[in-house]
Amino acid sequence: MRLNPRPATASGTRRLARRHPAALLALFLCSTGGALAALALPAALGHTVDGLIDGGPVPWSGLLFCAVLTLAETGFDAGAAVLGTSTTARLTAHLRTRTTARVLAAEPRDALAVPTGDLTARLTARTADAAAAPVTAAGAVAGVLLPLGAVTGLFLIDPWTAAAFLLGAPLLVALLHTFTRRTADAGADYQRAQSVIAHRLTEALDGADTIRAARTGAREYRRILEPLGALADHGRRTWTVYGRAAGQSALLLPLLMLLVLAVGGLRLHAGAIGVGDLVAASRYAALAVGIGALTGALGALARSRAAARTLDPLLTLDPLPHEGLGPLPGGPGHLEFRDVGVAQDGGPDGGPDGKPDGKPLLTEVHLTVPGGTSLAVVGRSGSGKSVFAAVAGRLLDPDTGTVLLDGVPLTAMDPALLRPEVAYAFARPALPGTTVEDTIAFGAWTADPEAVRAAARAARADGFIGLLPYGYATPLTDAPLSGGERQRLGLARAFAHPGRLLILDDALSGLDTVTEHHVRRALDERAGRCTRVIVAHRLSSAARADRVLWLEDGRVRATGPHEKLWADPEYRAVFRTETAEAEAEETGAVPPARTEVESR
């Protein structure tokens, strides 16, 4: 699946600037005030020097005015620094929230087209770089106003002195242009190398158990760090650009200063200007050639622009389409699949014949699950069980066909109305929240403490939670959890948010036989009130279900009661195969089970 972002209607910088216009205006005024004070100071200083040279009384008013201008410049610069830092932080928080919301609201295959590590880098470092653009642009007025104002001041003092400075101005402009272009290219390459490292590190963390079991840690270490060479090259390239700009400016700027002072000295000798004018001219020349602030601003804007380009595909993701409908009130959870098909790499526009062009994951699935009953989904690894579970609750949209809940197509339902009706539990659930109670209460709504504890008892998690240092208030960072205990917390979270549809995607695989028996009893107690779809690997799960869906290569091989299907030796072989694969998974010989994050 490729991201095809639609063109934005306005630049990202403009959209961000509209978030905090007052703060950016204050920053602009502070930057402008500091620049104006800096430009006024040479003229005031020159006038004061002339007053001292004339031999009259000490020009205290001029000295006081110079002191006031110095304090004003310092105060405005300090205010700009405080406003810039705080506004950047707020804009970064907004951009991260907005980008994350776009990703979560999009169809999962679109959102996850970006590798997880790269996605993490974009939502963290890239958002910070991109959010700095409005603040940098508002503060850059000083970098532009100072050289322009300084050249204007030179013209007002003496046109010949200004002309001497303008002789070297084209070289200065060329230096700035080259610096900006090369900085943008180096910054973009550096960010891409960072994303590769982040993606590989995320892969290794997700498969840590497999890597440990296979004893390939050293190889993974080398694979993750392999892009560091390219990263170092891009970093050196960035600093080389800065170094060359600094070296060239270190050569060019003193020559310009020397030329201005030489012409100013000649004009002083000719009587065209006074000593105070020469002092002011030297100060204006220093301001005109001081490109440090401007080059810094240009470099920051170049990095922001490169970062914004990586965020554009995420910010232009289309949200899940819907017609604003909701599930029928009081429905029993009647689930219906009508000729549902899912392809791995695309939607229905992929091939020349208008059909999906990727590997078929589900093909022509036609099935009805009566409300309040349980359905066990079985099949060998890769048969499409998790895809079926994802489509059943609209974590994934089918490429063909329709899924209906109580007669209403899932694609027509507002996701905000659908989510409270569907609860999921996964083989390796993500555990958001600060404490154990937080993670069980986390969901479409925040479950109250009584519901949290009842759900934990149903999932047989109450026992080990009671042994934790602070019980339900134990921080997750201080709760050493086994795989089965994590699964039970995921089950408890699903039980704490009852809807009309409960989907367990291999969520019982880490439980021992006794615990699974009690959890199955808790599931059976929801009969008639909740439809249960259970991706089953164990014979006991299939045997207790009202009905079994047997998938093979993404197609429905058979449906019916477990007792009826058990007569087929190939059906019995499914469970032997699944048992062998589960044992291999525990030793790290095959990839680990699907996680909640991967399913989403």
Side-chain angles (χ1 to χ4, degrees):
M1 173 68 69
R2 297 179 296 273
L3 296 182
N4 297 309
R6 61 182 182 279
T9 56
S11 71
T13 301
R14 291 179 182 176
R15 288 195 299 268
L16 286 173
R18 288 196 289 267
R19 296 294 306 176
H20 297 286
L24 292 174
L25 177 60
L27 175 61
F28 173 81
L29 293 177
C30 283
S31 299
T32 304
L36 292 177
L39 290 171
L41 184 57
L45 186 60
H47 181 73
T48 303
V49 168
D50 283 339
L52 290 171
I53 293 176
D54 288 342
V58 176
W60 293 109
S61 59
L63 292 173
L64 179 61
F65 186 53
C66 289
V68 170
L69 289 175
T70 302
L71 291 175
E73 180 184 1
T74 304
F76 280 127
D77 288 345
V82 172
L83 285 169
T85 302
S86 60
T87 304
T88 299
R90 290 197 295 270
L91 290 176
T92 300
H94 163 73
L95 186 57
R96 284 176 179 165
T97 302
R98 180 166 157 247
T99 308
T100 303
R102 275 283 189 177
V103 171
L104 294 177
E107 211 277 341
R109 282 183 297 177
D110 288 341
L112 295 180
V114 179
T116 304
D118 188 10
L119 181 62
T120 302
R122 296 191 196 193
L123 293 176
T124 53
R126 305 295 175 269
T127 51
D129 289 338
V135 171
T136 303
V141 62
V144 176
L145 187 58
L146 282 175
L148 293 180
V151 172
T152 302
L154 285 175
F155 267 108
L156 294 176
I157 292 172
D158 181 56
W160 288 100
T161 306
F165 173 80
L166 292 179
L167 285 176
L171 293 176
L172 196 60
V173 172
L175 175 63
L176 291 176
H177 174 72
T178 302
F179 169 79
T180 303
R181 178 173 53 80
R182 291 179 178 176
T183 298
D185 294 340
D189 292 338
Y190 190 87
Q191 290 173 355
R192 281 192 288 270
Q194 279 184 320
S195 297
V196 172
I197 293 176
H199 173 55
R200 293 184 180 182
L201 179 59
T202 302
E203 282 184 330
L205 291 174
D206 286 342
D209 291 339
T210 301
I211 293 170
R212 189 182 301 112
R215 301 195 177 201
T216 57
R219 188 170 65 191
E220 283 300 303
Y221 180 84
R222 291 192 296 270
R223 186 180 74 91
I224 294 169
L225 297 186
E226 184 268 333
L228 275 182
L231 188 69
D233 290 341
H234 299 320
R236 282 192 293 269
R237 198 168 114 216
T238 300
W239 287 111
T240 299
V241 171
Y242 275 100
R244 286 178 179 174
Q248 291 167 355
S249 62
L251 178 65
L252 176 62
L253 303 186
L255 291 176
L256 285 176
M257 283 287 297
L258 182 62
L259 183 60
V260 169
L261 290 176
V263 174
L266 292 175
R267 297 291 287 169
L268 175 64
H269 180 72
I273 60 175
V275 175
D277 292 331
L278 182 59
V279 171
S282 66
R283 291 288 301 162
Y284 280 129
L287 292 175
V289 300
I291 63 170
L294 187 56
T295 54
L298 291 175
L301 287 173
R303 289 192 300 273
S304 296
R305 184 179 179 183
R309 283 198 294 266
T310 68
L311 295 179
D312 281 343
L314 303 180
L315 289 170
T316 52
L317 284 172
D318 289 317
L320 279 173
H322 62 86
E323 299 174 14
L325 302 180
L328 294 177
H334 184 87
L335 187 64
E336 186 176 357
F337 280 61
R338 294 180 180 175
D339 297 322
V340 169
V342 178
Q344 186 174 34
D345 296 319
D349 298 328
D353 57 355
K355 296 182 179 181
D357 59 352
K359 173 186 175 183
L361 302 179
L362 289 180
T363 304
E364 298 179 357
V365 175
H366 194 87
L367 177 73
T368 297
V369 184
T373 64
S374 61
L375 174 74
V377 184
V378 305
R380 292 185 173 87
S381 179
S383 60
K385 300 185 297 296
S386 288
V387 177
F388 179 90
V391 171
R394 209 190 178 190
L395 291 185
L396 186 68
D397 277 344
D399 295 307
T400 59
T402 306
V403 182
L404 300 93
L405 181 62
D406 289 323
V408 181
L410 295 186
T411 53
M413 295 186 193
D414 185 340
L417 299 176
L418 173 63
R419 280 298 134 229
E421 300 294 338
V422 182
Y424 267 96
F426 296 90
R428 291 190 294 157
L431 300 180
T434 305
T435 65
V436 172
E437 181 169 352
D438 289 341
T439 197
I440 298 176
F442 184 87
W445 69 91
T446 302
D448 58 61
E450 182 178 348
V452 166
R453 282 154 180 77
R457 288 191 295 271
R460 304 294 287 181
D462 187 66
F464 75 80
I465 293 175
L467 298 177
L468 296 175
Y470 305 102
Y472 286 88
T474 302
L476 287 173
T477 53
D478 298 334
L481 301 174
S482 67
E485 289 169 343
R486 295 178 68 90
Q487 275 195 2
R488 280 182 271 174
L489 288 182
L491 285 166
R493 184 174 60 201
F495 289 159
H497 301 85
R500 66 183 72 189
L501 182 59
L502 174 61
I503 301 174
L504 307 185
D505 186 359
D506 201 18
L508 306 178
S509 59
L511 306 185
D512 59 80
T513 304
V514 175
T515 301
E516 183 194 7
H517 172 74
H518 288 286
V519 172
R520 288 293 320 194
R521 288 183 59 183
L523 289 171
D524 292 342
E525 290 173 0
R526 287 162 170 74
R529 297 181 288 113
C530 172
T531 301
R532 290 138 291 146
V533 175
I534 304 162
V535 173
H537 292 277
R538 293 182 177 177
L539 180 62
S540 57
S541 296
R544 294 182 66 124
D546 296 320
R547 192 179 181 193
V548 175
L549 168 65
W550 177 12
L551 291 177
E552 188 172 275
D553 296 328
R555 294 180 177 272
V556 178
R557 174 70 182 269
T559 61
H562 171 75
E563 293 79 6
K564 179 180 177 181
L565 297 179
W566 189 251
D568 189 332
E570 292 189 26
Y571 176 77
R572 297 196 297 271
V574 167
F575 294 96
R576 291 196 295 271
T577 303
E578 289 294 329
T579 300
E581 290 178 350
E583 292 174 351
E585 182 178 309
E586 292 176 359
T587 63
V590 297
R594 185 178 178 88
T595 67
E596 176 176 353
V597 174
E598 291 168 341
S599 297
R600 292 184 184 277

